[in-house]
Amino acid sequence: MYFDTHAHYTDEDFDADRDETIKQVNESGVELIMNASSDFDSSLKAIALSEKYPFIYATVGWHPHDAKTFSEESEQYIRQWCTNSKVRAIGEIGLDFYYDLSERDVQREVFIRQMELASELKMPVVIHDRDAHAECMEIIRKFPDVKGAFHCYSGSAEMANEILSMGWYLGFTGAITFKNARRALEAIEICPNDRILIETDCPYLAPVPFRGKRNDSRYLS
């Protein structure tokens, strides 16, 4: 049995054959999927997909790329969505200082607000951290009651040790097959098996030798 702990089957790359792909994925031995969200529309779509398929669950929230669209209404939507039994985490949330598609101060503010909501609602979180390791750690340390996973982990082994000591999980994608994956492999070496999450991030990050093709959960095996 495989559990894809982070996928994006609501992405437009699956619009032409979403249902057939999900059917084939499930028949291949992938028995559970967590479909992650990035904003209002993707959260609604993730919930709808989870209600259509009993083996798909959803996360809801605002990705750092979309932090600029977060509002007070967004907070109320998250509270409402988290009452749905198919919604299992708030995410993906965090910081992305590589693309900077939202202003960094806005990213920080929205990340903190969603961590506050996670604490209030007693929900786990899914963290997106790209080129913002120190800043992400600074924020999660302020919320010791909130646990979750670092999606597509790319930090150091030292940072991984601290995250693990706080009771969190580390997610690894097909990116561990890339030539520049040294740091992720070092983190895997020190990570207990029961703290490793396997994820595709599909349709992105297909593993070698399929890199560049559309990814899906069948590549977990």
Side-chain angles (χ1 to χ4, degrees), residues 2-213:
Y2 289 96
F3 177 12
D4 188 350
T5 61
H6 193 109
H8 295 277
Y9 283 106
T10 53
D11 191 274
E12 62 183 9
D13 280 4
F14 291 109
D15 284 353
D17 60 349
R18 179 174 293 106
D19 290 331
E20 181 60 25
T21 299
I22 291 173
K23 178 176 180 290
Q24 292 175 3
V25 161
N26 188 226
E27 290 174 347
S28 76
V30 179
E31 297 184 17
L32 291 170
I33 297 169
M34 184 71 74
N35 198 87
S37 302
S38 60
D39 60 6
F40 176 81
D41 288 341
S42 61
S43 295
L44 286 181
K45 290 176 181 177
I47 293 170
L49 196 68
S50 74
E51 292 175 339
K52 183 174 183 179
Y53 293 98
F55 56 90
I56 295 180
Y57 292 82
T59 77
V60 297
W62 268 255
H63 190 287
H65 290 345
D66 300 288
K68 56 185 174 289
T69 70
F70 191 86
S71 67
E72 289 187 11
E73 285 186 340
S74 304
E75 298 181 17
Q76 299 308 314
Y77 285 126
I78 290 174
R79 286 194 179 91
Q80 175 187 337
W81 293 333
C82 286
T83 64
N84 188 314
S85 63
K86 295 300 293 285
V87 173
R88 294 303 177 91
I90 296 175
E92 57 191 276
I93 65 176
L95 302 172
D96 192 311
F97 292 171
Y98 180 81
Y99 286 109
D100 282 325
L101 296 185
S102 291
E103 293 290 335
R104 292 188 179 186
D105 285 346
V106 173
Q107 290 187 47
R108 291 186 187 95
E109 179 183 350
V110 172
F111 183 18
I112 290 169
R113 187 64 197 113
Q114 290 182 100
M115 289 291 288
E116 290 172 343
L117 285 168
S119 178
E120 173 190 336
L121 301 173
K122 296 179 171 55
M123 294 288 288
V125 297
V126 178
I127 301 296
H128 174 104
D129 165 25
R130 186 162 187 186
D131 287 4
H133 303 320
E135 293 86 351
C136 278
M137 292 303 297
E138 180 182 356
I139 289 172
I140 70 166
R141 289 187 194 107
K142 296 176 180 178
F143 298 91
D145 60 323
V146 177
K147 310 298 180 187
F150 269 68
H151 154 62
C152 194
Y153 184 75
S154 61
S156 67
E158 291 77 14
M159 177 175 156
N161 260 325
E162 181 177 359
I163 293 168
L164 294 168
S165 72
M166 296 167 69
W168 287 60
Y169 294 78
L170 302 180
F172 297 95
T173 67
I176 64 172
T177 67
F178 300 172
K179 289 182 179 179
N180 63 348
R182 177 183 56 83
R183 294 182 72 182
L185 294 176
E186 290 173 350
I188 289 173
E189 287 183 1
I190 61 94
C191 188
N193 288 341
D194 63 357
R195 295 292 192 85
I196 293 175
L197 301 180
I198 56 173
E199 51 183 34
T200 60
D201 201 27
C202 66
Y204 316 106
L205 298 178
V208 173
F210 308 105
R211 189 174 183 181
K213 297 183 179 181

